[in-house]
Amino acid sequence: VNTEVGVVTATDDDKQGRNNGGEKELEYSWVDSNNVPFNIRKTDGRITVSGQIDYENQERYTLVAQVRDRGDKGVVTDLTSRVLVTINVINKNDENPIITPSVYSNKISEKFPVGGTILTIRATDRDIGISGSVTYKITSSNDDANEKIALNSDTGAVTLKASIDREKPRNQITFNVKA
């Protein structure tokens, strides 16, 4: 908010300046300012952010700015000009990925093939483009997880990297993943 994003400029070819009757004084405004998250400063046409903007909700704003000549002694005249203003919103990585479901569970036999996919973790991210890509990482695990499974950081696929022996006392692999 209050970040300057552009400026509308205009010139007035009146011979007298502001100090000689006010004929060069211009006043800037939006033609329709309903629900517009941008202000245009009356005195110099500077455009600033005045509300929440989010690329995922609206990528571009197309607005009409108007400049009015404040003729003799600052009295607003009918002399106006309009210009189309386009403001493109740049995407920011501001959405957290969401893993669904939040808990995964699967049972495999000791004959499950090494390299086989046990399960695939899925996450979505509301960000668009490169900001919406998701990567996966194991954040904590029991000892067997490090030896027995691999997580593909790009796809979320959990694969078996070593054979399983169900006669061993620990036959459960537990791990947490962050997307």
Side-chain angles (χ1 to χ4, degrees):
V1 177
N2 293 327
T3 302
E4 186 174 317
V5 295
V7 63
V8 174
T9 58
T11 57
D12 184 356
D13 289 334
D14 289 336
K15 292 189 191 278
Q16 292 181 323
R18 246 176 116 171
N19 296 332
N20 295 323
E23 292 177 358
K24 286 210 174 222
E25 189 174 337
L26 301 173
E27 182 177 285
Y28 298 86
S29 63
W30 296 123
V31 171
D32 179 10
S33 62
N34 291 337
N35 299 319
V36 174
F38 302 97
N39 282 333
I40 186 166
R41 197 179 318 163
K42 280 178 145 181
T43 56
D44 61 11
R46 295 195 185 281
I47 301 168
T48 56
V49 178
S50 63
Q52 290 296 98
I53 56 174
D54 187 357
Y55 182 88
E56 283 74 33
N57 293 327
Q58 189 163 347
E59 298 174 25
R60 176 179 296 113
Y61 292 85
T62 304
L63 311 165
V64 179
Q66 175 175 275
V67 61
R68 213 177 260 284
D69 187 349
R70 291 186 57 92
D72 191 25
K73 296 182 178 128
V75 176
V76 176
T77 68
D78 288 335
L79 300 174
T80 63
S81 185
R82 292 181 177 186
V83 65
L84 196 62
V85 176
T86 301
I87 300 171
N88 294 308
V89 179
I90 297 170
N91 192 18
K92 178 180 161 188
N93 191 358
D94 59 348
E95 300 289 337
N96 289 324
I98 299 170
I99 296 175
T100 49
S102 59
V103 176
Y104 284 77
S105 178
N106 198 0
K107 293 181 181 182
I108 59 172
S109 74
E110 64 183 343
K111 293 181 181 180
F112 193 84
V114 171
T117 300
I118 300 167
L119 56 87
T120 301
I121 297 167
R122 302 270 183 224
T124 57
D125 189 327
R126 286 193 58 227
D127 285 313
I128 295 172
I130 192 83
S131 296
S133 62
V134 177
T135 57
Y136 303 87
K137 179 182 179 182
I138 295 176
T139 58
S140 63
S141 63
N142 65 3
D143 294 337
D144 285 347
N146 296 329
E147 299 168 12
K148 301 289 184 184
I149 63 164
L151 173 66
N152 183 309
S153 63
D154 294 324
T155 66
V158 178
T159 56
L160 187 64
K161 69 179 186 180
S163 60
I164 300 225
D165 182 358
R166 71 179 181 100
E167 280 81 34
K168 284 196 172 182
R170 282 187 142 176
N171 61 5
Q172 183 174 5
I173 299 171
T174 306
F175 57 97
N176 292 313
V177 172
K178 180 178 180 180

